[in-house]
Amino acid sequence: MSGAGTNLQALLVACGDPAYGAQVVAVGADRDGIDGLRRAADERVPTFIERVADHPDRDAWDAALTDKVAAYAPDLVVLAGFMKLAGPLFLRRFAGRTVNTHPALSPSFPGMHGPRDALAYGVKITGATLFVVDEGVDSGPIVAQVAVPVAAGDDEHSLHERIKVGEHQMLVESVGRMVREGFTLDDRSVRFGT
Ligand code: GRF
């Protein structure tokens, strides 16, 4: 997590209901002083921070982040609003069980500016994508997608905020199913159930 943490908040609220069947065991961030960490602390979820700048290079950061996450033995790793590319060690360690959300309908508009790029292209429908993280940028196998119409007069902020409403619902529903039902990954196909 890297910022506001509204995706995290949606998960924390869902996990407050025992019937949801999943728990957030820890929340990690790549910076301090962000709302997401406060949201986690409010729910008494353990938090940790691993900053790239505190390491001699990106590989050392990758190793430290991998160790920190592994210490909590998560079944699933959710990169909720995490604005960095996970390193190769991290991806190997949590391969096939790390998910991320992207505020666009993949494979369109990968990268940091999904809503801005969708607006600039003039699409009438965009949305959000939950995917299993691979070594590419927003390129992994798709778990779920939600469509969101672009409104006349939208700017980047208003569009992103509307996308986030659908993104939160998609994340909560899909993460819950992944944990409760399990899932299988076959090349690019992700299916709930085992
Ligand atoms: C989300 O839309 C996410 O898909 C994108 O940035 C936003 C992060 O929001 N990468 P938040 O930190 O979860 O509020």
Side-chain angles (χ1 to χ4, degrees), residues 24-47:
V24 179
V25 291
V27 170
D30 67 339
R31 63 198 67 196
D32 53 18
I34 54 178
D35 286 344
L37 286 171
R38 281 188 283 277
R39 294 177 198 272
D42 286 349
E43 299 295 325
R44 295 188 168 70
V45 172
T47 60

Side-chain angles (χ1 to χ4, degrees), residues 7 11 20 76-81 98-106 127-133 138-147 163 166-179 183 185 188 190 192:
N7 280 286
L11 281 176
Y20 184 62
L76 194 66
V77 179
V78 182
L79 303 182
T98 302
V99 294
N100 195 359
T101 66
H102 177 56
L105 288 177
S106 297
T129 302
L130 180 70
F131 60 97
V132 178
V133 176
D138 302 322
S139 58
I142 293 170
V143 179
Q145 290 186 300
V146 59
I163 290 171
E167 184 179 34
H168 296 164
Q169 288 169 355
M170 171 187 71
L171 181 69
V172 165
E173 184 187 327
S174 301
V175 164
R177 290 193 66 183
M178 290 173 104
V179 173
F183 62 98
L185 186 56
R188 287 206 57 87
V190 184
F192 296 117

Side-chain angles (χ1 to χ4, degrees), residues 28-32 48-55 60-69 82 84:
D30 67 339
R31 63 198 67 196
D32 53 18
F48 61 88
I49 300 163
E50 208 56 70
R51 277 181 292 251
V52 174
D54 291 340
H55 298 278
W61 171 74
D62 179 18
L65 183 64
T66 302
D67 284 349
K68 281 267 173 71
V69 174
F82 188 61
K84 291 221 164 38

